[in-house]
mmCIF file of all heavy atoms in Angstrom:
data_model
loop_
_atom_site.group_PDB
_atom_site.id
_atom_site.type_symbol
_atom_site.label_atom_id
_atom_site.label_comp_id
_atom_site.label_asym_id
_atom_site.label_seq_id
_atom_site.Cartn_x
_atom_site.Cartn_y
_atom_site.Cartn_z
ATOM 1 N N LYS A 1734 -18.325 -33.192 -19.383
ATOM 2 C CA LYS A 1734 -17.696 -33.325 -18.070
ATOM 3 C C LYS A 1734 -17.123 -34.717 -17.830
ATOM 4 O O LYS A 1734 -16.395 -34.940 -16.870
ATOM 5 C CB LYS A 1734 -18.730 -32.980 -16.982
ATOM 6 C CG LYS A 1734 -18.126 -32.773 -15.594
ATOM 7 C CD LYS A 1734 -19.169 -32.255 -14.630
ATOM 8 C CE LYS A 1734 -18.572 -32.069 -13.238
ATOM 9 N NZ LYS A 1734 -17.475 -31.070 -13.234
ATOM 10 N N ILE A 1736 -19.090 -37.372 -17.358
ATOM 11 C CA ILE A 1736 -20.166 -38.158 -16.759
ATOM 12 C C ILE A 1736 -20.918 -38.885 -17.869
ATOM 13 O O ILE A 1736 -21.328 -38.274 -18.861
ATOM 14 C CB ILE A 1736 -21.129 -37.255 -15.968
ATOM 15 C CG1 ILE A 1736 -20.404 -36.589 -14.792
ATOM 16 C CG2 ILE A 1736 -22.340 -38.026 -15.482
ATOM 17 C CD1 ILE A 1736 -21.239 -35.530 -14.092
ATOM 18 N N LEU A 1751 -28.402 -28.358 -21.370
ATOM 19 C CA LEU A 1751 -27.898 -27.470 -20.320
ATOM 20 C C LEU A 1751 -26.678 -28.061 -19.630
ATOM 21 O O LEU A 1751 -25.764 -27.323 -19.226
ATOM 22 C CB LEU A 1751 -28.992 -27.190 -19.290
ATOM 23 C CG LEU A 1751 -30.107 -26.227 -19.697
ATOM 24 C CD1 LEU A 1751 -31.148 -26.116 -18.585
ATOM 25 C CD2 LEU A 1751 -29.556 -24.844 -20.026
ATOM 26 N N ALA A 1752 -26.645 -29.397 -19.494
ATOM 27 C CA ALA A 1752 -25.539 -30.039 -18.778
ATOM 28 C C ALA A 1752 -24.195 -29.737 -19.433
ATOM 29 O O ALA A 1752 -23.225 -29.371 -18.753
ATOM 30 C CB ALA A 1752 -25.773 -31.547 -18.709
ATOM 31 N N LEU A 1755 -23.414 -26.009 -18.966
ATOM 32 C CA LEU A 1755 -23.028 -25.730 -17.578
ATOM 33 C C LEU A 1755 -21.615 -26.228 -17.298
ATOM 34 O O LEU A 1755 -20.853 -25.577 -16.566
ATOM 35 C CB LEU A 1755 -24.016 -26.385 -16.617
ATOM 36 C CG LEU A 1755 -25.366 -25.698 -16.448
ATOM 37 C CD1 LEU A 1755 -26.325 -26.581 -15.657
ATOM 38 C CD2 LEU A 1755 -25.221 -24.339 -15.764
ATOM 39 N N ALA A 1756 -21.265 -27.371 -17.862
ATOM 40 C CA ALA A 1756 -19.912 -27.895 -17.658
ATOM 41 C C ALA A 1756 -18.878 -26.925 -18.205
ATOM 42 O O ALA A 1756 -17.850 -26.660 -17.562
ATOM 43 C CB ALA A 1756 -19.773 -29.262 -18.331
ATOM 44 N N ALA A 1758 -19.311 -23.654 -18.676
ATOM 45 C CA ALA A 1758 -19.354 -22.462 -17.828
ATOM 46 C C ALA A 1758 -18.597 -22.681 -16.532
ATOM 47 O O ALA A 1758 -17.852 -21.808 -16.065
ATOM 48 C CB ALA A 1758 -20.805 -22.089 -17.538
ATOM 49 N N ASP A 1759 -18.760 -23.856 -15.939
ATOM 50 C CA ASP A 1759 -18.161 -24.168 -14.648
ATOM 51 C C ASP A 1759 -16.644 -24.210 -14.726
ATOM 52 O O ASP A 1759 -15.952 -23.911 -13.740
ATOM 53 C CB ASP A 1759 -18.713 -25.503 -14.146
ATOM 54 C CG ASP A 1759 -18.396 -25.759 -12.687
ATOM 55 O OD1 ASP A 1759 -18.765 -24.918 -11.845
ATOM 56 O OD2 ASP A 1759 -17.787 -26.802 -12.382
ATOM 57 N N PRO A 1763 -16.838 -19.252 -12.563
ATOM 58 C CA PRO A 1763 -17.478 -17.939 -12.397
ATOM 59 C C PRO A 1763 -17.878 -17.701 -10.942
ATOM 60 O O PRO A 1763 -18.108 -18.642 -10.180
ATOM 61 C CB PRO A 1763 -18.706 -18.030 -13.301
ATOM 62 C CG PRO A 1763 -19.017 -19.493 -13.347
ATOM 63 C CD PRO A 1763 -17.687 -20.189 -13.311
ATOM 64 N N LEU A 1766 -23.097 -18.451 -11.350
ATOM 65 C CA LEU A 1766 -23.549 -19.181 -12.526
ATOM 66 C C LEU A 1766 -25.064 -19.345 -12.428
ATOM 67 O O LEU A 1766 -25.577 -19.849 -11.419
ATOM 68 C CB LEU A 1766 -22.853 -20.548 -12.594
ATOM 69 C CG LEU A 1766 -23.275 -21.519 -13.696
ATOM 70 C CD1 LEU A 1766 -23.140 -20.895 -15.078
ATOM 71 C CD2 LEU A 1766 -22.435 -22.801 -13.606
ATOM 72 N N ASP A 1768 -28.651 -20.560 -14.545
ATOM 73 C CA ASP A 1768 -29.271 -21.160 -15.730
ATOM 74 C C ASP A 1768 -30.787 -21.031 -15.650
ATOM 75 O O ASP A 1768 -31.385 -21.116 -14.577
ATOM 76 C CB ASP A 1768 -28.847 -22.617 -15.919
ATOM 77 C CG ASP A 1768 -29.515 -23.581 -14.962
ATOM 78 O OD1 ASP A 1768 -30.659 -23.982 -15.244
ATOM 79 O OD2 ASP A 1768 -28.901 -23.932 -13.934
ATOM 80 N N PHE A 1846 -29.930 -33.286 -11.250
ATOM 81 C CA PHE A 1846 -29.179 -33.713 -12.435
ATOM 82 C C PHE A 1846 -28.219 -32.605 -12.869
ATOM 83 O O PHE A 1846 -27.019 -32.846 -13.092
ATOM 84 C CB PHE A 1846 -30.155 -34.054 -13.563
ATOM 85 C CG PHE A 1846 -29.503 -34.460 -14.854
ATOM 86 C CD1 PHE A 1846 -29.258 -35.795 -15.129
ATOM 87 C CD2 PHE A 1846 -29.144 -33.512 -15.796
ATOM 88 C CE1 PHE A 1846 -28.658 -36.180 -16.324
ATOM 89 C CE2 PHE A 1846 -28.543 -33.871 -16.993
ATOM 90 C CZ PHE A 1846 -28.296 -35.219 -17.255
ATOM 91 N N LEU A 1847 -28.708 -31.386 -12.992
ATOM 92 C CA LEU A 1847 -27.873 -30.268 -13.433
ATOM 93 C C LEU A 1847 -26.772 -29.960 -12.421
ATOM 94 O O LEU A 1847 -25.656 -29.572 -12.797
ATOM 95 C CB LEU A 1847 -28.739 -29.032 -13.675
ATOM 96 C CG LEU A 1847 -29.755 -29.155 -14.814
ATOM 97 C CD1 LEU A 1847 -30.622 -27.900 -14.888
ATOM 98 C CD2 LEU A 1847 -29.056 -29.388 -16.145
ATOM 99 N N GLN A 1848 -27.064 -30.148 -11.136
ATOM 100 C CA GLN A 1848 -26.069 -29.875 -10.101
ATOM 101 C C GLN A 1848 -24.833 -30.742 -10.271
ATOM 102 O O GLN A 1848 -23.731 -30.335 -9.882
ATOM 103 C CB GLN A 1848 -26.694 -30.101 -8.726
ATOM 104 C CG GLN A 1848 -25.827 -29.659 -7.556
ATOM 105 C CD GLN A 1848 -26.502 -29.911 -6.226
ATOM 106 O OE1 GLN A 1848 -27.174 -30.927 -6.038
ATOM 107 N NE2 GLN A 1848 -26.347 -28.990 -5.290
ATOM 108 N N ARG A 1849 -24.979 -31.920 -10.856
ATOM 109 C CA ARG A 1849 -23.831 -32.805 -11.084
ATOM 110 C C ARG A 1849 -22.774 -32.158 -11.990
ATOM 111 O O ARG A 1849 -21.616 -32.559 -11.970
ATOM 112 C CB ARG A 1849 -24.294 -34.113 -11.740
ATOM 113 C CG ARG A 1849 -25.238 -34.973 -10.907
ATOM 114 C CD ARG A 1849 -24.507 -35.688 -9.788
ATOM 115 N NE ARG A 1849 -25.369 -36.659 -9.115
ATOM 116 C CZ ARG A 1849 -25.312 -37.980 -9.278
ATOM 117 N NH1 ARG A 1849 -24.402 -38.501 -10.094
ATOM 118 N NH2 ARG A 1849 -26.141 -38.788 -8.631
ATOM 119 N N PHE A 1850 -23.193 -31.166 -12.762
ATOM 120 C CA PHE A 1850 -22.297 -30.562 -13.744
ATOM 121 C C PHE A 1850 -21.734 -29.208 -13.278
ATOM 122 O O PHE A 1850 -21.077 -28.512 -14.033
ATOM 123 C CB PHE A 1850 -23.033 -30.406 -15.080
ATOM 124 C CG PHE A 1850 -23.453 -31.721 -15.661
ATOM 125 C CD1 PHE A 1850 -24.654 -32.314 -15.275
ATOM 126 C CD2 PHE A 1850 -22.632 -32.398 -16.552
ATOM 127 C CE1 PHE A 1850 -25.038 -33.548 -15.780
ATOM 128 C CE2 PHE A 1850 -23.006 -33.633 -17.063
ATOM 129 C CZ PHE A 1850 -24.210 -34.213 -16.680
ATOM 130 N N VAL A 1851 -22.027 -28.856 -12.025
ATOM 131 C CA VAL A 1851 -21.542 -27.593 -11.456
ATOM 132 C C VAL A 1851 -20.773 -27.909 -10.184
ATOM 133 O O VAL A 1851 -21.351 -28.372 -9.197
ATOM 134 C CB VAL A 1851 -22.719 -26.637 -11.138
ATOM 135 C CG1 VAL A 1851 -22.197 -25.349 -10.531
ATOM 136 C CG2 VAL A 1851 -23.536 -26.361 -12.398
ATOM 137 N N GLU A 1852 -19.461 -27.656 -10.192
ATOM 138 C CA GLU A 1852 -18.620 -27.941 -9.025
ATOM 139 C C GLU A 1852 -17.745 -26.771 -8.610
ATOM 140 O O GLU A 1852 -17.424 -26.619 -7.434
ATOM 141 C CB GLU A 1852 -17.710 -29.141 -9.313
ATOM 142 C CG GLU A 1852 -18.430 -30.463 -9.451
ATOM 143 C CD GLU A 1852 -17.475 -31.628 -9.660
ATOM 144 O OE1 GLU A 1852 -16.383 -31.407 -10.244
ATOM 145 O OE2 GLU A 1852 -17.805 -32.747 -9.251
ATOM 146 N N GLN A 1853 -17.371 -25.911 -9.565
ATOM 147 C CA GLN A 1853 -16.346 -24.904 -9.289
ATOM 148 C C GLN A 1853 -16.884 -23.483 -9.211
ATOM 149 O O GLN A 1853 -16.163 -22.574 -8.775
ATOM 150 C CB GLN A 1853 -15.260 -24.966 -10.366
ATOM 151 C CG GLN A 1853 -14.607 -26.343 -10.488
ATOM 152 C CD GLN A 1853 -13.528 -26.366 -11.549
ATOM 153 O OE1 GLN A 1853 -12.391 -25.932 -11.295
ATOM 154 N NE2 GLN A 1853 -13.858 -26.851 -12.727
ATOM 155 N N ALA A 1854 -18.117 -23.255 -9.630
ATOM 156 C CA ALA A 1854 -18.678 -21.909 -9.569
ATOM 157 C C ALA A 1854 -18.834 -21.466 -8.115
ATOM 158 O O ALA A 1854 -19.107 -22.277 -7.223
ATOM 159 C CB ALA A 1854 -20.039 -21.876 -10.267
ATOM 160 N N GLY A 1855 -18.665 -20.165 -7.884
ATOM 161 C CA GLY A 1855 -18.825 -19.645 -6.532
ATOM 162 C C GLY A 1855 -20.221 -19.886 -5.994
ATOM 163 O O GLY A 1855 -20.410 -20.355 -4.868
ATOM 164 N N SER A 1856 -21.239 -19.560 -6.804
ATOM 165 C CA SER A 1856 -22.644 -19.813 -6.471
ATOM 166 C C SER A 1856 -23.360 -20.224 -7.750
ATOM 167 O O SER A 1856 -22.982 -19.822 -8.856
ATOM 168 C CB SER A 1856 -23.316 -18.563 -5.897
ATOM 169 O OG SER A 1856 -22.786 -18.220 -4.634
ATOM 170 N N TRP A 1857 -24.410 -21.017 -7.564
ATOM 171 C CA TRP A 1857 -25.197 -21.483 -8.714
ATOM 172 C C TRP A 1857 -26.673 -21.285 -8.421
ATOM 173 O O TRP A 1857 -27.145 -21.565 -7.322
ATOM 174 C CB TRP A 1857 -24.904 -22.958 -8.974
ATOM 175 C CG TRP A 1857 -25.809 -23.606 -9.989
ATOM 176 C CD1 TRP A 1857 -26.023 -23.214 -11.284
ATOM 177 C CD2 TRP A 1857 -26.625 -24.774 -9.798
ATOM 178 N NE1 TRP A 1857 -26.917 -24.060 -11.904
ATOM 179 C CE2 TRP A 1857 -27.294 -25.028 -11.023
ATOM 180 C CE3 TRP A 1857 -26.838 -25.633 -8.713
ATOM 181 C CZ2 TRP A 1857 -28.177 -26.096 -11.181
ATOM 182 C CZ3 TRP A 1857 -27.715 -26.698 -8.872
ATOM 183 C CH2 TRP A 1857 -28.376 -26.922 -10.092
ATOM 184 N N LEU A 1858 -27.389 -20.775 -9.431
ATOM 185 C CA LEU A 1858 -28.828 -20.562 -9.349
ATOM 186 C C LEU A 1858 -29.476 -21.219 -10.559
ATOM 187 O O LEU A 1858 -29.093 -20.948 -11.700
ATOM 188 C CB LEU A 1858 -29.153 -19.063 -9.337
ATOM 189 C CG LEU A 1858 -30.629 -18.667 -9.408
ATOM 190 C CD1 LEU A 1858 -31.358 -19.065 -8.129
ATOM 191 C CD2 LEU A 1858 -30.775 -17.163 -9.665
#
Side-chain angles (χ1 to χ4, degrees):
K1734 193 172 179 62
I1736 297 172
L1751 285 177
L1755 284 170
D1759 193 57
L1766 175 56
D1768 75 82
F1846 178 93
L1847 295 176
Q1848 188 180 38
R1849 297 285 188 104
F1850 298 85
V1851 179
E1852 292 183 330
Q1853 303 181 81
S1856 293
W1857 171 57
L1858 173 68

